[in-house]
């Protein structure tokens, strides 16, 4: 199992892709992942694993890459603030075509879709993995789709406790209740 000190360092030299393709397993230390996100609320406790297969299309300059990324974060639920695990499981697939002369040196920025990238002397597989990893993360982490969150009045965790605070009522129902009250008088 290969190790890297930066995911961006994962590069492939097209000339080294043989008939059978190229396959590799890479272990990425928690500290390396930490540097990408630089987020105190995302803790990485165990290494991420990257597995890739790169193949050249027959009689063509087109190179196809399949990449699996697996790992786990520890973070906090944004509804109930409880600790939670967030599993990262990415199955990426992209083609690489030879870059045209007018393209810049920053070939990852020349991508027009996540499915087609470009190469010259080397393929920047790592840069692609980093950008897809960043894009895959949600805006908010929720521990479970039916997390009840905290009571907005007393702050109790409604997943484990129930409180006596009044439930917020629908304003339409409040009007109806007021109307009934009037009729009764
Ligand atoms: Zn929650
Ligand atoms: Zn309450």
């Amino acid at each position: 199992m290969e190790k890297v000190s930066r995911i961006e360092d994962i590069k492939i030299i097209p000339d080294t892709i043989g008939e059978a393709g190229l396959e590799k397993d890479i272990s990425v230390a928690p500290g390396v992942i930490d540097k990408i996100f630089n987020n105190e609320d995302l803790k990485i406790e165990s290494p991420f694993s990257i597995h890739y297969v790169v193949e050249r299309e027959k009689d063509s300059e087109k190179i196809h890459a399949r990449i699996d990324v697996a790992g786990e974060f520890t973070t906090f639920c944004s509804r109930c603030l409880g600790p939670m695990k967030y599993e990262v499981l990415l199955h990426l697939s992209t083609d690489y075509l030879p870059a045209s002369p007018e393209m810049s040196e920053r070939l990852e920025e020349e991508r027009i879709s996540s499915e087609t990238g470009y190469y010259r002397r080397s393929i920047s597989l790592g840069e692609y993995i980093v950008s897809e990893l960043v894009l895959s993360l949600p805006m908010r982490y929720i521990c479970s789709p039916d997390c009840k969150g905290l009571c907005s009045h007393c702050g109790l965790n409604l997943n484990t406790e129930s409180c006596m605070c009044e439930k917020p009522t629908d304003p339409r129902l409040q009007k109806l209740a007021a109307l009934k009250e009037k009729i009764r008088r």
Side-chain angles (χ1 to χ4, degrees), residues 42-56:
L42 294 179
K43 297 256 180 291
I44 301 112
E45 280 147 7
S46 44
F48 273 44
S49 68
I50 295 176
H51 171 249
Y52 70 75
V53 178
V54 181
E55 287 161 324
R56 186 189 288 276

Side-chain angles (χ1 to χ4, degrees), residues 167-180:
K167 299 279 169 290
T169 38
D170 187 323
R172 288 167 305 175
L173 293 181
Q174 275 175 349
K175 261 189 199 157
L176 194 66
L179 197 66
K180 274 188 187 159

Side-chain angles (χ1 to χ4, degrees), residues 77 79-80 143 147 159:
C77 171
R79 275 190 207 158
C80 69
C143 67
C147 170
N159 295 313

